[in-house]
């Protein structure tokens, strides 16, 4: 369940007029193609975009035993914040019921601008950063699905889907720019997944009597 991305007034015009709607549609299309009927996905579950953890707590009290992931995000002048509340599953317990990600988008924008200079227009730069933020949301959605399948699923041969996420990189960007972007996005999520998979293995051993 997703809430519409919140964009603060200090953000660039492109973020305020285009990013939330573009991200919503891209993620909906992505979810329909990747999750299909296995997951009930709602790209705009809430009418109000001012959603935070108190709304998640209210919803959790209504359907406490249904495996759920609730996503709400905010983009400020300097950073983007992705928040995920989880409940109703062992994977949710493994994460402590939440996953919070802070992404310094302006820092990356400054690095990109320093490398390409005037060859990249400001609107194109912000469009690129917006695509980066949207891709990261896709990665975390698949990451959480993989985690649920590994921890709560009954298929011991489940193949994680994280590697197959398509970043949607534009070919006209310089290779060194989007290579760093892709490396950052994928490496961060892979490291999180590996860490959690190790914890999953330890928990399974303890449940089966194989641990101390």
């Amino acid at each position: 369940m997703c809430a519409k991305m919140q964009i603060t007034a200090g953000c660039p015009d492109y973020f305020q007029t285009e990013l939330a709607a573009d991200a919503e549609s891209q993620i909906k299309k992505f979810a329909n193609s990747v999750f299909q009927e296995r997951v009930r996905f709602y790209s705009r579950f809430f009418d109000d975009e001012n959603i935070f953890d108190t709304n998640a707590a209210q919803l959790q009290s209504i359907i406490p035993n249904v495996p759920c992931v609730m996503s709400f995000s905010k983009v400020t002048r300097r950073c983007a914040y992705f928040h995920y509340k989880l409940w109703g599953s062992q994977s949710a317990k493994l994460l402590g019921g939440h996953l919070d990600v802070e992404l310094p988008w302006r820092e990356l924008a400054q690095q990109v601008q320093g490398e390409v200079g005037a060859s990249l227009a400001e609107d194109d730069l912000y469009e690129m950063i917006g695509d980066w933020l949207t891709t990261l949301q896709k990665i975390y959605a698949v990451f959480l699905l993989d985690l649920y399948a590994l921890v709560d699923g009954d298929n011991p041969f489940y193949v994680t889907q994280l590697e197959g996420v398509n970043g949607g990189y534009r070919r006209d960007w310089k290779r060194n720019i989007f290579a760093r972007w892709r490396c950052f996005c994928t490496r961060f999520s892979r490291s999180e997944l590996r860490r959690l998979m190790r914890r999953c293995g330890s928990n399974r051993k303890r449940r089966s009597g194989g641990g101390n």
Side-chain angles (χ1 to χ4, degrees):
M1 295 168 288
C2 297
K4 186 176 180 180
M5 181 183 289
Q6 299 179 45
I7 311 291
T8 66
C11 289
D13 290 343
Y14 171 78
F15 283 13
Q16 296 187 46
T17 60
E18 303 293 334
L19 180 55
D22 191 43
E24 181 180 73
S25 294
Q26 283 196 44
I27 293 171
K28 175 63 176 177
K29 180 180 177 182
F30 173 78
N32 287 341
S33 64
V34 174
F35 300 155
Q36 300 177 0
E37 69 277 359
R38 294 175 300 155
V39 177
R40 293 184 180 180
F41 180 84
Y42 303 95
S43 58
R44 194 189 296 182
F45 188 81
F46 305 94
D47 292 331
D48 186 0
E49 66 181 44
N50 296 314
I51 300 297
F52 214 63
D53 52 358
T54 52
N55 306 93
Q58 292 172 354
L59 187 59
Q60 183 178 355
S61 68
I62 298 172
I63 48 173
N65 299 317
V66 178
C68 291
V69 177
M70 178 176 163
S71 168
F72 45 100
S73 56
K74 178 179 292 187
V75 182
T76 68
R77 179 176 172 81
R78 294 186 302 171
C79 293
Y81 301 91
F82 300 154
H83 303 288
Y84 301 89
K85 294 290 290 184
L86 308 91
W87 66 85
S89 64
Q90 290 299 315
S91 54
K93 293 180 181 179
L94 187 63
L95 286 171
H98 65 91
L99 176 65
D100 302 290
V101 184
E102 179 180 350
L103 304 162
W105 71 264
R106 185 167 290 275
E107 180 181 330
L108 177 65
Q110 290 171 348
Q111 292 177 5
V112 172
Q113 204 163 33
E115 290 192 12
V116 301
S119 63
L120 183 65
E122 189 175 75
D123 285 347
D124 292 334
L125 172 64
Y126 292 140
E127 183 179 343
M128 184 188 76
I129 297 299
D131 286 344
W132 173 63
L133 295 176
T134 301
T135 295
L136 280 175
Q137 288 186 295
K138 296 176 184 178
I139 288 175
Y140 277 102
V142 176
F143 162 68
L144 292 172
L145 177 65
D146 281 347
L147 184 63
Y148 178 82
L150 291 168
V151 178
D152 298 271
D154 54 5
N155 180 7
F157 304 106
Y158 176 80
V159 178
T160 59
Q161 300 184 64
L162 186 61
E163 300 288 341
V165 176
N166 179 9
Y169 313 109
R170 283 173 43 178
R171 292 183 179 180
D172 56 326
W173 295 338
K174 289 190 175 182
R175 291 184 179 181
N176 61 333
I177 298 174
F178 65 70
R180 182 190 300 117
W181 168 29
R182 182 174 185 178
C183 180
F184 171 80
C185 298
T186 309
R187 181 177 58 190
F188 185 77
S189 296
R190 283 177 184 166
S191 65
E192 288 290 305
L193 185 57
R194 284 196 295 267
R195 179 178 64 82
L196 290 168
M197 286 174 67
R198 287 195 296 269
R199 289 174 60 184
C200 291
S202 300
N203 288 349
R204 283 177 174 173
K205 286 182 180 180
R206 283 196 292 269
R207 290 199 300 267
S208 62
N212 294 328

